[in-house]
Amino acid sequence: MSKRTPETNDSDLPIRIGTVPYCNAWPLIHYLPGELPGALISEWFPADMRLRLMAHHLDLALMPVAELMNLPYGRIAGDCCIACRGAVRSVLMMSRKPLDKLETISFDTASRSSITVCDLMLRRFFGVQPTRYKLSPDKPLDDCKTDAFVVIGDRALSYTPSDQWEYRFDVGELWRQKTGLPFVFAAWIGCSDRIWNRPGLFRGLRAARERGLENLDGVLDDKHRQHARFPVDRDGVKSYLSESIVYRLGPEEHLGLQEFFDTALVCGLTKHRTVVEVVDCE
């Protein structure tokens, strides 16, 4: 008589975590393997994250918060985030015209949150809905033919605009000027019941962040040894990570998030109000 194989308890399976290949995520993810031993950590571009969460191929992902508008049961896990309280330096809008005169604009598709905040600010604060195009990932930015473009991430950090772009905006700073609030670009997001009652997971996410911020020089040294791509020189990256990016989701960041989703509803970018829900086991 054969022995019955016991069924695997879902809670015993390793947590599957998706991260992104951008330098502003380094302080959050560099120490994750040590703080969450046994977790299956993989790297994806943000556009791939939502479908993988919905298909339960990932349990948790560091992804643009705008995806919450289209992610059933999506919630933010803990108080780790990628945000700014003013100029962010890595999301730039360059224009040949005043923003209220724009007719065409090209968007870098690296982050849906960045695209959405630019779209809704143009609608709400400048009264325009320019025709949208995709910014070429291969051509020089100064070859862009539309009235304006938005460039995101590492590419923005290394960009020096030519004189043809008379109107130049840091999107984080523009949001702060218009709303008085921080802007949150990304956070740990999940929609799986497997993760919400795991205090060890939340402690690990927080501990990885604290180690990353306390030992930023060590993180950058390790990345250099691993031949990671630095969008600007080492001192420039350190300045960006330590001065421009906020990694803790506090009360003001929460208000900024809700303002973002409420403005998206007012501007017709979503049909339903998204209520920000942050879960923390501790």
Side-chain angles (χ1 to χ4, degrees), residues 18 72 79 99 101 103-104 122 126 164 176 180 185 201 216 229 238 246 251 261:
D79 68 345
L99 295 187
K101 304 296 183 184
E103 298 179 40
T104 58
L122 289 173
F126 299 96
Q164 65 178 299
R176 184 78 178 195
F185 294 96
L201 171 63
L216 189 54
R229 180 183 175 275
K238 183 178 179 181
V246 173
F261 290 120

Side-chain angles (χ1 to χ4, degrees), residues 64 91 107 111-119 150 152 171 183 185:
V91 186
F107 281 106
S111 167
R112 186 162 177 253
S113 294
S114 299
I115 293 171
T116 305
V117 72
C118 293
D119 195 358
V150 176
I152 297 165
V171 171
F183 188 78
F185 294 96

